[in-house]
Amino acid sequence: MEKRLKTGLIFMVAAVVLMPIAILLKNSNETLTIAVLIFTMLLELIGLIFVIMSILKRKKI
């Protein structure tokens, strides 16, 4: 598996794993919940960028 694709998938899986933590924190701390949600969105975005770069590089060759 290509390194960029693997890195992107790891970021995406990390975001999916962190999402339930935000749901569990929903009732106790609203600020922390928003911070975790923003962090997971950033992880998803970074993962998506790596996956797109991998696809574009593969099509280029």
Side-chain angles (χ1 to χ4, degrees):
M1 188 180 292
E2 188 180 331
K3 186 177 180 181
R4 285 183 184 155
L5 180 63
K6 191 174 185 179
T7 305
L9 291 176
I10 289 171
F11 274 108
M12 290 176 140
V13 167
V16 169
V17 169
L18 286 176
M19 188 61 71
I21 294 173
I23 294 170
L24 291 174
L25 292 173
K26 182 175 63 172
N27 294 330
S28 62
N29 193 345
E30 186 176 325
T31 308
L32 189 58
T33 302
I34 293 172
V36 171
L37 285 174
I38 290 171
F39 183 64
T40 57
M41 284 188 241
L42 286 173
L43 285 177
E44 283 285 343
L45 182 64
I46 292 169
L48 184 62
I49 290 170
F50 274 106
V51 170
I52 289 173
M53 285 173 32
S54 171
I55 291 170
L56 290 177
K57 184 179 178 189
R58 193 176 297 165
K59 293 227 181 217
K60 191 186 229 184
I61 295 175

